[in-house]
Amino acid sequence: MTQDSPTLALPRMRQEPAPEHITVPAPRRGRIPALDGLRLLAALMVVAYHYLARGEGWSASGQAMFPTAFPFAAYGWLGVELFFLISGFVICMSCWGRSVGDFFTSRVTRLYPAYWFAVLATTAVLLLIPGGQKPLPWPDVLTNLTMLQEPLGVRMVDGVYWTLFAELRFYLLFALVAW
């Protein structure tokens, strides 16, 4: 540069002293589409198992009615195992960077409201539609709302909820590991 050429002066940035404690919220993790696809696959496997392999809801056996689909549907029970595998992965992800209290609160608020709705809706349907299965007595329904009916020896409002108590136990176990 020559002396005659203009110089470009950049403004000086004023430096602020850094605060002692900076709290940066953890980035919110999005859903993983592949896991959603695997969840769908697992759900379809369980449905196929119950309706095609076990023949629930049909007068004849599933093997006789669906000879082509039966060999695949017979392994649909593995869908439950796939659900548990996915849940284990998602539970680990949901605990990452959180305190044990935050982790447990997030799991309880995710699980219980939908579960309460399902238990009460099932009970209401059983009350309102005559001729089918009788609803459980109210003390048993209230026990079901705690999700502790299995260890307390109380009948389930709906048998398909058995997996939720298994998941709840895993949450407790994982909270201990994270702690």
Side-chain angles (χ1 to χ4, degrees):
M1 285 181 137
T2 66
Q3 243 180 3
D4 294 339
S5 63
T7 58
L8 185 65
L10 296 174
R12 283 191 154 231
M13 300 290 288
R14 196 175 97 186
Q15 295 221 329
E16 298 285 331
E20 297 208 12
H21 298 290
I22 298 176
T23 306
V24 178
R28 184 179 167 108
R29 292 174 187 87
R31 295 180 73 88
I32 300 174
L35 291 182
D36 290 335
L38 286 173
R39 283 185 180 123
L40 175 63
L41 175 66
L44 293 175
M45 289 171 66
V46 171
V47 168
Y49 175 72
H50 280 281
Y51 287 103
L52 303 179
R54 288 188 53 178
E56 293 178 15
W58 307 103
S59 57
S61 76
Q63 188 170 11
M65 290 185 68
F66 307 101
T68 306
F70 181 82
F72 301 103
Y75 291 99
W77 61 272
L78 290 170
V80 174
E81 307 301 328
L82 181 57
F83 267 122
F84 282 139
L85 186 70
I86 294 167
S87 288
F89 180 77
V90 170
I91 288 168
C92 290
M93 279 182 42
S94 67
C95 187
W96 199 264
R98 289 184 171 176
S99 69
V100 173
D102 289 344
F103 163 72
F104 202 72
T105 300
S106 74
R107 297 292 88 197
V108 166
T109 57
R110 177 175 165 77
L111 209 56
Y112 271 95
Y115 177 70
W116 290 333
F117 175 80
V119 166
L120 295 174
T122 301
T123 302
V125 166
L126 293 175
L127 277 169
L128 297 173
I129 299 179
Q133 180 182 337
K134 290 188 176 206
L136 294 180
W138 283 107
D140 290 355
V141 172
L142 294 175
T143 302
N144 271 260
L145 291 174
T146 67
M147 210 179 291
L148 298 174
Q149 63 274 14
E150 187 177 327
L152 294 175
V154 174
R155 281 185 32 221
M156 289 185 213
V157 167
D158 190 338
V160 299
Y161 303 151
W162 73 268
T163 61
L164 296 175
F165 181 64
E167 194 163 339
L168 183 65
R169 286 182 296 192
F170 188 75
Y171 290 161
L172 289 170
L173 179 64
F174 195 80
L176 284 174
V177 169
W179 177 61

